[in-house]
Amino acid sequence: TASRLLRVYPRATRADSSNYNVLRAWALGAQHAALNLQSADLPVQLHHALFELNGGQGYVLKPREMIRGEPWPPHRTELHHVELRVISLHALPTRGEERPCLTSGEHCESHAHVPHLSGAATSPSASAVSSPRVAVELHAIGGYTSVCPKLPPDQLSSNRYATKAVDGNGLGPVFDETVHCLAAEPMYTVLRVAVEEGDNQVAFDTAVLGVLRPGYRNFQLRSTRTGTRIEMCHLLVHIKIDKEPHVWAEAERLRTQLVRQQEQLREHQEKLANQEIELAEARAKIDELMSRLHEQGSPLLTHQVSR
């Protein structure tokens, strides 16, 4: 993609308006990755974060390694470290309640164009009691990532961590848990925070990890059903930012090198298989030609045999 334009789009058979894994398209350097924006699934959630960069103009510069045609992701010995203290959640809607924020915030004018996609306000239910927890995830276009409760991370550490649930309190639960987010490519890694009730995710927000600022911050959460921001629903966090040595840098380098060698081996095996097919076809043609010459009693064949 350093010298070609590549466009990726969902298959026409996706009648439910679902989306493909957009991270793979971005990692390959695709300039145009089309999505079904009427859905609020994970690819669209990541899209919201990435394209808030550059002032939300709709264009984001690819990593310079991709532009130059160099290997992506590059080898890093140092990681961007975000210490995220999840403090409290405020005014989570009850089950069945909708509080879409339609009249304020960025891009609020867009809600007037297709209003049924933005949702409509519904009354809260007094009998519905929430027991929320908060999940913190990292989704990388490339490079090492880890989400862990303590440092240094384990070699097999996950890209997701969930706090303990607070029973019977969705109005103002306090979590006060700290999680460490590590990324080799922070400007190409998306942080996703999600509020979960049991097996269901009810609210989320996303942001590029590299643009977070230190101090007390709040995420205004979005509805997982519509993707619209929720009125008065915020997640309060405290952020510290520094650098951490990549303790698994050599293992990551060897893993990346092994993957590339496996890809090269697969390409060589495919070439060898094609050459064997061509060789078998050539031998069949030679045998057929010799058989015809023998049937015709060719002097050339007799001369060669007699010699």
Side-chain angles (χ1 to χ4, degrees):
T1 58
S3 58
R4 297 286 189 275
L5 287 176
L6 176 62
R7 179 174 181 262
V8 185
Y9 52 90
R11 294 182 63 179
T13 54
R14 290 181 179 268
D16 58 351
S17 295
S18 61
N19 288 295
Y20 55 90
N21 182 0
V22 73
L23 289 174
R24 294 179 61 187
W26 290 339
L28 291 171
Q31 292 87 351
H32 300 275
L35 294 174
N36 288 313
L37 293 182
Q38 66 269 32
S39 300
D41 54 9
L42 179 60
V44 172
Q45 295 175 20
L46 303 180
H47 155 91
H48 282 311
L50 183 64
F51 288 97
E52 284 296 323
L53 297 178
N54 195 27
Q57 299 299 313
Y59 293 91
V60 175
L61 191 64
K62 292 198 299 185
R64 61 182 181 181
E65 290 82 7
M66 287 188 184
I67 296 173
R68 296 173 180 174
E70 299 173 359
W72 170 262
H75 177 62
R76 305 288 189 195
T77 59
E78 193 175 56
L79 300 174
H80 184 79
H81 172 221
V82 174
E83 181 183 296
L84 187 71
R85 180 184 164 206
V86 182
I87 301 175
S88 58
L89 175 66
H90 300 271
L92 181 71
T94 60
R95 294 187 185 95
E97 180 188 4
E98 295 285 344
R99 289 200 313 269
C101 185
L102 304 177
T103 58
S104 62
E106 291 183 292
H107 317 303
C108 62
E109 299 86 356
S110 62
H111 297 300
H113 297 288
V114 192
H116 69 274
L117 293 179
S118 301
T122 58
S123 301
S125 172
S127 61
V129 179
S130 300
S131 298
R133 64 182 180 184
V134 176
V136 179
E137 305 168 358
L138 288 181
H139 300 269
I141 298 175
Y144 175 88
T145 58
S146 175
V147 180
C148 53
K150 62 180 181 179
L151 294 176
D154 296 331
Q155 186 174 6
L156 299 177
S157 60
S158 173
N159 291 327
R160 184 182 189 276
Y161 175 81
T163 67
K164 295 180 180 178
V166 176
D167 292 333
N169 185 0
L171 184 62
V174 176
F175 305 97
D176 199 18
E177 292 191 36
T178 299
V179 61
H180 301 275
C181 302
L182 301 167
E185 306 295 332
M187 293 305 295
Y188 301 98
T189 300
V190 176
L191 169 72
R192 180 177 183 268
V193 291
V195 178
E196 301 178 342
E197 286 192 69
D199 296 331
N200 300 318
Q201 294 191 349
V202 295
F204 76 94
D205 196 18
T206 52
V208 172
L209 189 69
V211 304
L212 297 180
R213 295 178 294 171
Y216 288 96
R217 304 291 171 187
N218 82 84
F219 293 94
Q220 184 176 8
L221 301 179
R222 298 175 181 263
S223 166
T224 53
R225 191 180 69 83
T226 63
T228 306
R229 294 202 181 276
I230 305 170
E231 192 78 45
M232 300 185 297
C233 185
H234 297 267
L235 179 69
L236 179 63
V237 302
H238 184 268
I239 295 173
K240 293 181 181 179
I241 298 175
D242 58 9
K243 298 291 184 181
E244 281 289 325
H246 191 351
V247 294
W248 303 110
E250 185 62 21
E252 187 72 13
R253 185 187 68 81
L254 292 175
R255 187 181 299 110
T256 302
Q257 183 178 357
L258 177 61
V259 170
R260 289 173 181 164
Q261 289 177 346
Q262 288 175 338
E263 290 176 353
Q264 292 175 354
L265 178 61
R266 194 178 301 112
E267 291 176 0
H268 291 321
Q269 288 175 337
E270 290 176 357
K271 290 181 180 179
L272 181 61
N274 291 334
Q275 289 175 352
E276 289 179 348
I277 293 173
E278 292 175 358
L279 180 60
E281 291 175 350
R283 286 175 175 170
K285 289 181 180 179
I286 292 174
D287 292 341
E288 183 181 359
L289 180 60
M290 294 293 289
S291 177
R292 289 180 180 178
L293 291 174
H294 182 74
E295 291 174 357
Q296 296 173 0
S298 170
L300 177 62
L301 179 64
T302 305
H303 175 69
Q304 289 176 340
V305 172
S306 63
R307 273 178 47 185

